[in-house]
Amino acid sequence: MRFLFLLCSSGLALSGCETRQSAVIVTARPRVAAPTSDSARVWPAKAPAAPDTADYTRAYQGSFESPRADTLILLGKRQYWLQLRQVADSTKPLDYAPAYVVGRPFAAPSDTAWRAHRVRGYEGTYTFTLRDSARRSIVFRKRLHKRDFQAVAAGEVLTVSEPQFRYLGYSAGLNGLLFIAYFGIPYSDVVDRTMLLLDARTGQVKAQRGIGSATFDAIDCDPQVAPTGLAVLTCAGEVLRAGQPPLSLRRPRAKLRAARFLTDTTLLAVYEFGTYQPVKQSDTDAEDNADSPPVAKAAATAEMTQRPAEFVSTPAQRRAANAFVLSTSGRVLGKFRYDGWAGEMGYAMPRCFSPITRTYYFSNGGQSVFVLPKAQPGHVTELPLKKMSRFRYPQRSQEIKLILPYAVNTQSMVLYIDTLHPQQVRYRLQPPPEG
């Protein structure tokens, strides 16, 4: 189990500078006749494009709760107000069976309900409304219910959940509004995620994808609109693309464990290779379950069930390259072996980004650091810790300081990066704060 939490911070030194104004001498110049044809005309040079300094691997920092206020969003060059409203209907009960994860407190009220593992929840209405910037006209109003998510969400969890929705962004290429929905068992840490894409003109559902758990075994991925707006990462093993079929990220005998955009047209996908194999319950486990007090079982809203299978990898699969830099057209630009997962509950890649050097840094546990330049993310460089220089004071004038949290077990790795040579890095380990 791994805990999904990432934080990247940087320290930048700012130096003052003195500006001096030099004398300017203006002399009269003879007038020159204007050119008579376009071929003779000198057009002004275009201003250079601003460097792309955004960190596209940054994890979503939102909560499981739906926003309580309307949100002012930008679609193209125009502003709109987005309103999310949800209402539970206690007059419309919903039952589901058989339930293996939802606990007895949600059992349907009948003598034989729990014997059949039948749980009860209630219907809800989830309304998405898009208005113009003046709130005078409605672009669309779309209502959804729990039954609209039956194909992509776990039935028993969906039944008892109180869904929460968050707006993530707008895809101009797909003309869609991207949302993430959380379906969880109340008073528990069992939460599933679903991606939702609504048409920006009509509100109709363009795509729905079940992502899986947001806690246990959660992948390091958030549904995301590509910076150009021409693609959407669903986190369900595919990338939706404007004017093209979806790009599948699935691989045989592999589970997707992380996926993040790196640039407008590239992304990083990381896998765990292996297959599911059945697990038999041992005699010790059976005795432990028999000794569990019945009162404790009855109080649990989510039950710990024996997994019928576990994911098993061979030695050869554990040595193979499992991290791939891909273009949104599906071409493999680079690959490497990654084993630096951090935390306890989900799959998390400790990482940070330098906007000055425009470079990503990924910790590979206590083994190495992978360097991916944003200009050419397929050119991956591995810096073994054994060959990296330990930091010794003072910090050099051309160095910037970045922090990789949970880079080595629970310790953070402090990187001192040469801004003139981003692959020259000194480091030191920093223990976690006490308490």
Side-chain angles (χ1 to χ4, degrees):
M1 296 296 183
R2 300 175 178 87
F3 177 69
L4 187 60
F5 176 79
L6 292 173
L7 174 67
C8 176
S9 62
S10 63
L12 302 179
L14 302 178
S15 60
C17 62
E18 181 181 1
T19 302
R20 297 183 180 180
Q21 184 175 2
S22 59
V24 179
I25 301 176
V26 180
T27 59
R29 296 183 179 179
R31 292 187 177 182
V32 179
T36 57
S37 65
D38 288 343
S39 61
R41 182 172 299 155
V42 179
W43 297 100
K46 291 184 178 180
D52 185 359
T53 59
D55 178 8
Y56 299 138
T57 70
R58 185 175 181 181
Y60 173 61
Q61 300 297 321
S63 66
F64 293 163
E65 297 182 359
S66 295
R68 298 181 179 180
D70 296 354
T71 304
L72 186 64
I73 64 176
L74 191 66
L75 306 186
K77 297 182 179 180
R78 300 184 61 180
Q79 291 182 329
Y80 295 85
W81 284 100
L82 176 65
Q83 181 187 74
L84 305 180
R85 291 292 182 269
Q86 57 188 69
V87 178
D89 190 347
S90 60
T91 66
K92 296 180 179 179
L94 300 175
D95 287 4
Y96 183 90
Y100 297 105
V101 178
V102 177
R104 190 173 299 189
F106 296 97
S110 67
D111 294 337
T112 60
W114 194 244
R115 199 172 302 170
H117 286 268
R118 184 182 298 112
V119 294
R120 173 164 294 184
Y122 296 92
E123 182 60 278
T125 301
Y126 317 105
T127 306
F128 304 78
T129 304
L130 188 67
R131 292 184 173 88
D132 66 2
S133 58
R135 289 194 173 99
R136 294 176 181 173
S137 61
I138 295 177
V139 179
F140 71 76
R141 177 175 283 133
K142 179 65 176 179
R143 289 187 177 89
L144 296 175
H145 302 83
K146 283 187 178 180
R147 62 178 177 270
D148 296 312
F149 297 92
Q150 290 176 347
V152 296
E156 57 181 301
V157 176
L158 175 66
T159 298
V160 302
S161 68
E162 299 174 0
Q164 306 292 335
F165 295 85
R166 300 289 299 185
Y167 172 70
L168 298 181
Y170 168 68
S171 168
L174 297 169
N175 195 36
L177 304 180
L178 180 63
F179 299 86
I180 187 170
Y182 297 96
F183 302 99
I185 302 175
Y187 314 109
S188 82
D189 52 9
V190 177
V191 181
D192 290 338
R193 296 186 295 170
T194 293
M195 162 267 181
L196 176 67
L197 188 67
L198 298 183
D199 190 287
R201 294 190 185 92
T202 65
Q204 296 302 310
V205 177
K206 296 174 72 75
Q208 278 181 310
R209 301 290 187 272
I211 300 172
S213 174
T215 51
F216 300 106
D217 288 335
I219 68 172
D220 189 346
C221 182
D222 296 311
Q224 185 181 4
V225 178
T228 57
L230 299 179
V232 169
L233 176 63
T234 68
C235 295
E238 66 180 352
V239 178
L240 306 180
R241 301 176 296 179
Q244 301 179 70
L247 170 65
S248 176
L249 300 180
R250 298 178 181 88
R251 288 176 174 264
R253 295 178 295 278
K255 294 287 290 182
L256 183 65
R257 298 306 190 189
R260 295 281 176 186
F261 279 117
L262 297 173
T263 69
D264 290 347
T265 56
T266 61
L267 66 148
L268 177 65
V270 189
Y271 301 84
E272 182 179 9
F273 294 113
T275 55
Y276 282 102
Q277 297 184 8
V279 176
K280 293 183 179 180
Q281 188 178 24
S282 66
D283 295 338
T284 302
D285 293 334
E287 292 175 1
D288 291 342
N289 292 336
D291 293 339
S292 299
V295 176
K297 287 185 178 180
T301 60
E303 295 186 338
M304 297 298 292
T305 58
Q306 181 72 26
R307 291 186 297 178
E310 63 179 349
F311 200 73
V312 179
S313 301
T314 66
Q317 289 172 326
R318 290 192 290 271
R319 291 191 300 267
N322 65 334
F324 300 86
V325 179
L326 306 172
S327 69
T328 50
S329 64
R331 189 160 56 98
V332 177
L333 305 177
K335 59 183 179 180
F336 55 95
R337 177 69 203 182
Y338 183 79
D339 292 302
W341 305 111
E344 300 175 353
M345 293 177 66
Y347 289 82
M349 299 181 71
R351 58 188 178 268
C352 60
F353 174 73
S354 166
I356 295 179
T357 64
R358 300 174 61 233
T359 307
Y360 294 103
Y361 296 87
F362 291 86
S363 169
N364 193 30
Q367 305 175 45
S368 59
V369 173
F370 288 104
V371 182
L372 281 70
K374 200 168 190 181
Q376 293 180 306
H379 291 187
V380 182
T381 300
E382 183 174 12
L383 305 178
L385 259 62
K386 293 181 179 179
K387 296 183 179 180
M388 289 175 62
S389 299
R390 289 271 187 169
F391 175 75
R392 296 290 184 270
Y393 287 102
Q395 181 176 342
R396 297 163 186 166
S397 59
Q398 75 272 22
E399 285 182 330
I400 58 171
K401 174 183 173 183
L402 296 179
I403 297 178
L404 274 168
Y406 301 100
V408 181
N409 297 324
T410 59
Q411 297 184 91
S412 296
M413 184 182 295
V414 184
L415 305 181
Y416 295 84
I417 300 166
D418 190 320
T419 55
L420 303 179
H421 306 281
Q423 295 179 355
Q424 293 184 11
V425 181
R426 298 193 295 166
Y427 81 98
R428 64 180 174 87
L429 298 180
Q430 178 174 283
E434 296 182 0

